[in-house]
Amino acid sequence: MGYIYLDNAATTPMADSVIDVMHDQMINNFGNASSTNYYGRRARQVLDDSRHIIAQSINAKDSEIVFTSGGTESDNTAIMSTALSRQNLGKHIITDQTEHEAVLRPMEYLETLGFEVTYLKPNEKGVISVEQVEEALRDDTILVSIMYGNNEVGAVNPIKEIGELLQDHQAYFHTDAVQAFGTEDIDVKAEHIDFLSTSAHKLNGPKFIGFLYENADKHIPSYIRGGDQETKRRAGTENIPAIAGFAEAVKIADDDEKKRRRETYYSFKQKIQSILTEQGINFEVNGPTDAHGLNHVLNLYLPGIEKSVLLTRLDLEGFAISGGSACTAGSLEPSHVLTAMFGENSPRLNDSIRISFGKDNTMEEVEKFTNKMAEIVKDLTN
């Protein structure tokens, strides 16, 4: 039985060219980029070239890209380093209730240190408004952290408008763009972003590599202490094969490719909804229903259909989807994102699934999946 993979918001398969680039680097470029010998200089060249490719993709300077182990480290660095280094200016932080745990857990820890965190509640589409941020903003606010696009429901927040709001305020602006980088057009200068987090494995790159964009005009101390790598901003020997693979993944997802993916993914979402409607399946979309969200994420509420049962049935039939964020998939707790959107007593918390598309999915796969899901739902409701 051939599996059809529709859980790309959790992770994506590495692109063939990414694997080729990494394989070549592992064999032919094993030097330490901090060494001054021939092998070190070769590694340094790959590091510099990769940094340039990635910086250009978000309109940043090369020097503003700091390689990390991934989105979690990038989020923690931006939040913890900003809070601890600027607490003399205030101890108030703004974020939202639908953030990834890599943002929420550091926020909770900071609260134990005496910081005050305002958690904004999204609307029923999962979106935070700029008016909410403005209302919560105080003179002692030192950081605003609002995710670019939500990993569970695909909601996209008004990042540019929030960035503009903060232009004349002391608060630094961080956004977790792990789910958006590689599909959305991001310009850190035009959107007035101070810190931006990413992870390569969400766009067909390797796991355990990401970057944190740090605005050159904003200064925070190193979060991981040790050597002088990454111009003293992130200690640890750089993982050259992974960084080269990340750069290759970014090259693949150029502007034309991102546009193509968005259009293709939106057609997938429309097809799924069309088939379910034709089959008489009762469902609703959790999150954006138009093309202004993350088009690779579709979260569906199927009333009366327990998600764990549906996921198991689909898995046995050869289809991989999820019930929400992979980082909490093993938890018995309901989705904090859906809880924030609909309340803790909403049936959507237990009767919703997440389908997420990748660059290799086809319309034939989507149709096959949807027809099988409709068949299972009918069986479960009879």
Side-chain angles (χ1 to χ4, degrees):
M1 175 178 64
Y3 250 87
I4 292 177
Y5 185 72
L6 293 167
D7 194 20
N8 288 273
T11 194
T12 56
M14 280 198 289
D16 291 342
S17 62
V18 170
I19 296 172
D20 291 342
V21 166
M22 292 182 67
H23 183 256
D24 177 70
Q25 291 298 315
M26 290 179 191
I27 294 175
N28 299 312
N29 201 4
F30 58 84
N32 187 321
S34 296
S35 299
T36 58
N37 58 41
Y38 168 75
Y39 296 98
R41 294 195 303 273
R42 287 185 60 192
R44 170 62 62 179
Q45 186 63 57
V46 172
L47 178 62
D48 291 343
D49 291 347
S50 299
R51 197 187 309 275
H52 180 68
I53 290 168
I54 288 170
Q56 285 191 314
S57 72
I58 59 170
N59 191 29
K61 300 174 185 176
D62 293 6
S63 61
E64 294 175 319
I65 302 299
V66 181
F67 288 111
T68 68
S69 62
T72 295
E73 183 191 327
S74 295
D75 285 339
N76 274 255
T77 299
I79 294 165
M80 298 297 296
S81 293
T82 295
L84 297 178
S85 66
R86 307 189 77 226
Q87 57 184 312
N88 62 306
L89 301 174
K91 302 187 77 170
H92 180 239
I93 299 171
I94 298 171
T95 188
D96 69 271
Q97 297 175 6
T98 63
E99 292 288 328
H100 190 276
E101 286 74 12
V103 169
L104 294 177
R105 298 296 89 83
M107 294 294 181
E108 292 171 0
Y109 175 66
L110 287 172
E111 287 181 293
T112 70
L113 301 181
F115 288 83
E116 181 182 353
V117 181
T118 297
Y119 297 90
L120 303 178
K121 179 178 174 57
N123 63 21
E124 287 201 348
K125 296 299 182 183
V127 177
I128 299 298
S129 71
V130 66
E131 289 78 17
Q132 285 177 282
V133 177
E134 184 173 21
E135 184 178 342
L137 203 60
R138 303 185 335 204
D139 290 342
D140 63 339
T141 305
I142 58 172
L143 173 66
V144 175
S145 181
I146 302 294
M147 72 189 330
Y148 205 105
N150 188 267
N151 54 304
E152 290 196 33
V153 299
V156 172
N157 287 309
I159 297 302
K160 182 177 181 180
E161 290 79 5
I162 295 172
E164 290 173 346
L165 171 68
L166 299 175
Q167 281 300 284
D168 297 321
H169 196 279
Q170 70 167 0
Y172 287 177
F173 183 31
H174 165 253
T175 185
D176 178 334
V178 168
Q179 204 62 235
F181 183 62
T183 61
E184 303 303 299
D185 295 322
I186 298 174
D187 186 326
V188 293
K189 304 304 182 185
E191 295 172 279
H192 308 291
I193 297 168
D194 296 320
F195 301 98
L196 178 141
S197 305
T198 72
S199 192
H201 76 102
K202 302 294 187 178
L203 63 148
N204 307 104
K207 294 177 178 63
F208 221 62
I209 188 70
F211 73 80
L212 174 64
Y213 158 75
E214 295 185 5
N215 187 324
D217 296 328
K218 311 294 183 180
H219 303 287
I220 57 173
S222 176
Y223 184 58
I224 295 181
R225 311 297 177 90
D228 292 340
Q229 292 89 354
E230 297 299 287
T231 59
K232 300 183 179 181
R233 292 173 298 172
R234 198 279 187 182
T237 301
E238 291 93 349
N239 185 344
I240 299 302
I243 289 170
F246 193 2
E248 175 65 20
V250 171
K251 285 169 61 178
I252 294 171
D254 60 17
D255 289 345
D256 290 339
E257 175 63 12
K258 283 187 287 190
K259 182 175 183 293
R260 185 197 69 79
R261 291 183 189 183
R262 288 194 297 268
E263 292 173 349
T264 299
Y265 299 157
Y266 187 59
S267 71
F268 290 167
K269 293 172 78 168
Q270 290 179 306
K271 176 59 68 173
I272 289 174
Q273 294 174 72
S274 174
I275 292 176
L276 292 178
T277 300
E278 291 171 1
Q279 295 272 7
I281 303 299
N282 184 19
F283 74 95
E284 293 179 35
V285 175
N286 297 322
T289 54
D290 55 23
H292 297 297
L294 297 179
N295 287 340
H296 68 290
V297 177
L298 176 61
N299 196 299
L300 293 179
Y301 167 46
L302 298 157
I305 305 298
E306 171 63 43
K307 68 179 176 183
S308 61
V309 175
L310 180 57
L311 293 177
T312 300
R313 290 282 298 270
L314 285 167
D315 187 48
L316 292 172
E317 293 287 348
F319 301 96
I321 62 169
S322 72
S325 173
C327 298
T328 56
S331 172
L332 295 178
E333 295 297 318
S335 163
H336 72 280
V337 174
L338 296 182
T339 299
M341 291 167 62
F342 301 108
E344 60 182 14
N345 296 318
S346 173
R348 294 174 187 258
L349 276 56
N350 295 315
D351 298 353
S352 296
I353 60 171
R354 182 185 69 180
I355 307 154
S356 48
F357 315 111
K359 72 178 186 64
D360 296 324
N361 287 130
T362 65
M363 185 63 79
E364 181 182 3
E365 291 178 332
V366 169
E367 292 176 352
K368 184 176 180 181
F369 158 76
T370 312
N371 283 312
K372 177 56 66 174
M373 181 171 68
E375 178 185 318
I376 294 172
V377 170
K378 289 179 181 178
D379 181 56
L380 291 173
T381 53
N382 289 334

